[in-house]
Amino acid sequence: MGWNDWAHYQCDFTEQTILDNARALVRTGLAARGYRTVTIDDCWMLKARDGRGDLQPDPQRFPHGMKPVAEAIHHLGLRFGIYEDAGSETCGGFAGSGVPEGGGEDHFLQDAKLFAGWGVDYLKLDGCNVYAAKGESQNTAYRAAYRAQSAALLQVGRPVIFSESAPAYFQGTAEWYDVLSWVRSYGQLWREGSDIATFDVKTPDAPRFQSVLWNYAYNLPLGRFQSAGNWNDADFIIGGDGGMTPAETRSQVALWSMMSAPLILSSNLSALSPEAISVLGNREVVSVDQDPLGKMATLLQRTTASDLLFKELADGRYAVAVLNRGRASLHVELRAADLGFAPVGCRFSSVDLWSGRREPDALRLQAEIAPHDTAIWRVHPAGACGAPARMGAITRLASGRHRDAEGYTLCMASNGDVEACSDSQAQRWTVTPAGALESAGRCLAAEDGRVRMQRCGSSEAQRWKYTLVGDLINRGDRLCLTGSAKQGLTLAMCGRSLAAQIWSLPND
Ligand code: GLA
């Protein structure tokens, strides 16, 4: 949790901007709520290195160099983060740490030493301009660069949190899942996709919520890559800044918290309204985000207008959220069975985390949700509720669409269709502990090379092995579950990260 200048200021900042925001973190009480790492993004340096090959802070922006800035930030009780790039140049065209274009020596260790000397606690290593030698794949080149920086950071005698942007440079390609599988070996968090919309002084009120929905859409199906200490990063919190209404601000904070995503504010903190500060600093919502289990929420239901999310917390409680992405107000009423608990006799206490309203003994959650708002509760089930079933939608990414949050996923239906998500009965699945995929009491099976729903039994044909990249491999015939909008569900030889074979399962 912390603050970064990029989404609000881009390259328009100086030492003053950074320190003003660091002080505002403390003054607003947001630092006390956990927002403690202040990171300077791109454009802080000169284009060239000095005679010793060291990076040079831009003297116009940082007339006293970088060390006093780090010290001032530490003095406020905050941590200091900095931006660099795994390629020859940063995205803004400044000196990168990576191999120069055409080959040569990298500067990973030299830069890591410089950063440690300044007192850097956090490094965001971007991935523009990464050089791949002839015959070397992009994936291999990125992996070598991030591995090298990770190793360098371990040599400098100072713990530095390592944020990797590598996966974002593979979004939409078959390599994406492979990159997502290796980043966790080298760093603590990683950006998987495109940038959240930045603030533009010329159009300060330009709407930015679609961009929030897009980043949420691509982050949510990646739960299997995340575990406590290794985080998917859905990019900055722009809630409270221009272009975001109070409802949209609540939604971003609730959705990010349901995903246990890093909460990195990127706004002008001195201009935040008291209402925005109370949303960003909401103790209960932040504690859902920071829950030690570190789970990503599971998608229980998706329709064109809404998502129902469910997240297991470390203390035997659960968080539940409903996003209303539609234009009309939404009335929701959720019973225990809708959340996966025993349909009969399950009572629970609940807290509405925005209003603080408590229901000590309830049978259902109810809310009226305004357009673009998100309701969020913490639920404490009584003994009769049992453990929640592993249930929800099974999705794959729709092909060929970009930045279309609503159309981003297709849902698997038990009639064999792969279709727009509507939360129809046929789109409701339970993954059993034995690895069967069950819908309405029947199980998905591979039968003579085809996919069929059968009476549930114990045959291997009804067991599916789920891999990290997201393949569902039938334990009977070893074929991969393949789904397309045109052909529906079929079985095919497992390919390498084929979009039609990559599934997101409940609670993966
Ligand atoms: C990329 C990153 C952004 C920001 C800019 C800086 O676009 O994704 O977060 O760091 O580079 O140039």
Side-chain angles (χ1 to χ4, degrees):
M1 294 175 70
W3 177 85
N4 173 306
D5 58 83
W6 182 259
H8 188 82
Y9 299 97
Q10 294 102 69
C11 296
D12 188 15
F13 67 92
T14 64
E15 164 191 292
Q16 195 64 37
T17 322
I18 306 298
L19 294 177
D20 283 350
N21 277 284
R23 284 185 212 104
L25 267 187
V26 176
R27 190 178 62 243
T28 53
L30 289 168
R33 295 293 160 89
Y35 295 93
R36 287 205 188 97
T37 302
V38 171
T39 300
I40 305 180
D41 211 286
D42 204 356
C43 309
W44 60 264
M45 59 179 125
L46 295 179
K47 303 235 167 195
R49 290 172 180 269
D50 70 11
R52 292 187 306 272
D54 276 334
L55 297 166
Q56 313 186 77
D58 178 343
Q60 302 280 313
R61 298 176 198 273
F62 296 98
H64 313 98
M66 205 48 100
K67 203 164 183 189
V69 178
E71 281 166 3
I73 288 171
H74 286 152
H75 193 68
L76 288 165
L78 305 172
R79 286 183 291 255
F80 177 54
I82 206 152
Y83 167 102
E84 242 295 357
D85 190 280
S88 53
E89 286 180 4
T90 71
C91 299
F94 299 89
S97 294
V99 172
E101 195 56 39
E105 289 298 304
D106 67 58
H107 289 85
F108 291 121
L109 186 58
Q110 181 169 5
D111 295 347
K113 285 181 181 161
L114 184 72
F115 297 154
W118 288 344
V120 164
D121 306 296
Y122 176 105
L123 173 65
K124 168 176 171 180
L125 192 68
D126 210 342
C128 276
N129 310 306
V130 170
Y131 174 70
K134 219 167 167 226
E136 188 187 28
S137 73
Q138 286 285 313
N139 188 346
T140 308
Y142 273 79
R143 187 169 186 164
Y146 282 85
R147 189 200 293 122
Q149 181 66 90
S150 170
L153 290 173
L154 292 176
Q155 284 180 49
V156 297
R158 184 179 177 88
V160 180
I161 301 283
F162 186 31
S163 159
E164 307 170 83
S165 299
Y169 292 84
F170 293 83
Q171 188 179 28
T173 75
E175 301 292 306
W176 197 37
Y177 299 96
D178 193 59
V179 177
L180 284 166
S181 307
W182 59 249
V183 274
R184 63 163 91 181
S185 319
Y186 308 127
Q188 288 70 49
L189 66 159
W190 46 82
R191 286 274 312 281
E192 318 91 53
S194 41
D195 290 6
I196 202 119
T198 51
F199 177 81
D200 181 352
V201 253
K202 287 186 244 87
T203 50
D205 298 320
R208 292 157 87 192
F209 189 58
Q210 279 310 314
S211 140
V212 168
L213 288 180
W214 165 245
N215 282 40
Y216 157 71
Y218 74 64
N219 198 56
L220 185 67
L222 301 175
R224 62 192 179 277
F225 295 102
Q226 175 165 305
S227 57
N230 288 117
W231 312 100
N232 291 317
D233 177 0
D235 209 6
F236 303 126
I237 300 288
I238 56 173
D241 204 12
M244 292 282 288
T245 68
E248 293 166 350
T249 296
R250 278 190 292 277
S251 281
Q252 194 189 18
V253 177
L255 295 172
W256 264 235
S257 295
M258 290 299 285
M259 299 190 291
S260 300
L263 299 178
I264 306 170
L265 308 173
S266 194
S267 46
N268 172 4
L269 297 177
S270 302
L272 289 178
S273 70
E275 186 186 3
I277 292 169
S278 81
V279 168
L280 299 168
N282 182 299
R283 240 182 245 282
E284 301 280 7
V285 178
V286 167
S287 85
V288 168
D289 182 75
Q290 297 289 304
D291 182 75
L293 267 192
K295 288 228 150 203
M296 231 153 125
T298 218
L299 178 64
L300 285 182
Q301 301 173 7
R302 169 164 285 170
T303 68
T304 40
S306 69
D307 277 5
L308 168 59
L309 301 176
F310 182 77
K311 173 178 173 179
E312 184 185 354
L313 304 174
D315 59 1
R317 296 182 226 200
Y318 300 87
V320 177
V322 180
L323 157 71
N324 177 6
R325 72 175 130 242
R327 288 167 200 266
S329 162
L330 184 74
H331 178 75
V332 290
E333 233 181 276
L334 301 166
R335 291 157 304 126
D338 295 321
L339 307 176
F341 295 114
V344 184
C346 167
R347 308 186 76 91
F348 47 80
S349 64
S350 68
V351 197
D352 174 327
L353 301 185
W354 292 133
S355 70
R357 202 173 48 242
R358 285 170 194 272
E359 292 277 351
D361 181 33
L363 284 167
R364 53 176 68 83
L365 298 172
Q366 287 188 66
E368 203 62 44
I369 308 171
H372 292 190
D373 211 336
T374 296
I376 179 168
W377 298 267
R378 200 178 49 235
V379 168
H380 193 182
C385 298
R390 185 178 167 191
M391 65 175 213
I394 298 183
T395 61
R396 60 151 280 195
L397 303 195
S399 27
R401 296 185 203 232
H402 292 289
R403 295 186 158 273
D404 169 7
E406 281 81 41
Y408 186 64
T409 55
L410 295 171
C411 275
M412 176 166 125
S414 56
N415 64 1
D417 286 342
V418 178
E419 56 191 16
C421 297
S422 64
D423 186 40
S424 66
Q425 185 58 50
Q427 292 181 6
R428 296 184 186 174
W429 294 93
T430 301
V431 184
T432 72
L437 304 177
E438 186 191 305
S439 183
R442 294 174 72 77
C443 283
L444 190 77
E447 193 184 280
D448 303 329
R450 287 165 189 257
V451 185
R452 294 258 186 277
M453 292 301 285
Q454 295 177 343
R455 195 149 61 90
C456 295
S458 56
S459 76
E460 294 283 277
Q462 291 183 10
R463 301 282 176 272
W464 300 87
K465 181 181 162 201
Y466 190 46
T467 67
L468 181 62
V469 290
D471 289 338
L472 276 170
I473 306 172
N474 189 269
R475 294 213 182 257
D477 64 13
R478 307 270 148 202
L479 294 176
C480 267
L481 188 64
T482 307
S484 75
K486 275 205 192 102
Q487 281 148 26
L489 281 180
T490 54
L491 287 163
M493 297 273 286
C494 298
R496 195 153 174 270
S497 302
L498 296 179
Q501 293 182 339
I502 289 185
W503 301 94
S504 180
L505 286 193
N507 206 359
D508 61 357

